[in-house]
Amino acid sequence: MDSKTNNARGFLFWATLVGLVFFTVYPACNWLSAQRDTVHRFYFAWELGIPLVPEFLWAYLSMYVLFVLPPFFLDPVRQKRLALQLISGTLAAGLIFLMFPSTLGFTRAIPGSSFYDGPFRFMFSIDQPYNMWPSLHVVYSALILLALIDRAPPVKWQAGAWFWLALISVSTILVHQHHLLDIFSAYILVGVVRLAHSKGG
């Protein structure tokens, strides 16, 4: 069995495990928050004046492209490390969601253009307006892209990865899915998780 086959099988194993953890923790926390009488609003009033920029939806949804990149750039050891980081980040975020349930301040609305009707409905069906911080959208994007950056590709590719991460982070606010605290807390969690698994294999 060649190394590419082993790499693909390892990726499928870890991707399945990450998926099981995510689809257990995130929907459950959303459901619990929806049942609660009190959820917190962790944002500044002025943030609600940030305009909706529907074009950034594509940057937001580009996170899903990241999920298929690891087997092309990471060896099995690095794939395992990334998977453990994603699992740890999900569990830590889930604990925060349970302790500090939060809700979105923006009114979720579909832009007037029919061009965005389907994509926005898709986004709303996946991301509920609860459990805002830390943003798992940013946590997952940052952990995957930083793992790719760690492979030390040419500088131009590193710059492209950083730019992609910046676009995804900004997009979460400009499509009215998150607030500033959600982004900052996501990066703090990413730093903690990466430090905890810095020697993991």
Side-chain angles (χ1 to χ4, degrees):
M1 188 178 298
D2 59 33
S3 59
K4 289 184 178 180
T5 302
N6 281 329
N7 204 33
R9 287 192 172 183
F11 169 73
L12 289 175
F13 170 79
W14 288 111
T16 300
L17 189 57
V18 171
L20 287 173
V21 173
F22 175 81
F23 286 109
T24 298
V25 173
Y26 186 68
C29 289
N30 271 323
W31 183 83
L32 287 170
S33 292
Q35 312 309 311
R36 293 184 172 187
D37 294 328
T38 302
V39 288
H40 304 287
R41 298 178 180 271
F42 294 111
Y43 54 82
F44 296 105
W46 60 262
E47 290 184 60
L48 301 183
I50 296 174
L52 174 69
V53 185
E55 292 79 7
F56 272 84
L57 176 67
W58 309 115
Y60 184 86
L61 295 178
S62 73
M63 179 196 72
Y64 298 105
V65 176
L66 294 176
F67 294 149
V68 302
L69 296 184
F72 297 102
F73 297 97
L74 304 181
D75 58 45
V77 171
R78 292 177 183 272
Q79 286 188 47
K80 176 182 177 182
R81 184 181 304 159
L82 172 59
L84 293 176
Q85 291 174 357
L86 292 170
I87 290 170
S88 297
T90 304
L91 294 175
L95 181 60
I96 295 172
F97 295 158
L98 292 176
M99 294 175 62
F100 305 101
S102 56
T103 189
L104 183 67
F106 295 114
T107 298
R108 304 212 305 176
I110 296 174
S113 171
S114 59
F115 180 73
Y116 287 103
D117 187 88
F120 265 81
R121 289 185 188 280
F122 170 74
M123 179 176 68
F124 292 160
S125 70
I126 295 175
D127 299 328
Q128 299 301 310
Y130 299 105
N131 302 322
M132 296 289 98
W133 74 280
S135 164
L136 275 179
H137 200 92
V138 173
V139 168
Y140 273 51
S141 299
L143 285 174
I144 295 172
L145 280 167
L146 290 174
L148 299 180
I149 290 170
D150 286 344
R151 292 290 292 120
V155 173
K156 64 180 180 180
W157 293 111
Q158 291 191 39
W162 282 111
F163 181 68
W164 192 354
L165 179 56
L167 275 179
I168 291 175
S169 300
V170 171
S171 75
T172 63
I173 296 176
L174 294 182
V175 298
H176 288 181
Q177 286 296 99
H178 281 285
H179 298 288
L180 291 174
L181 175 63
D182 312 342
I183 312 307
F184 292 131
S185 58
Y187 278 108
I188 292 173
L189 178 57
V190 166
V192 171
V193 167
R194 279 173 56 83
L195 181 62
H197 290 277
S198 60
K199 297 181 180 179

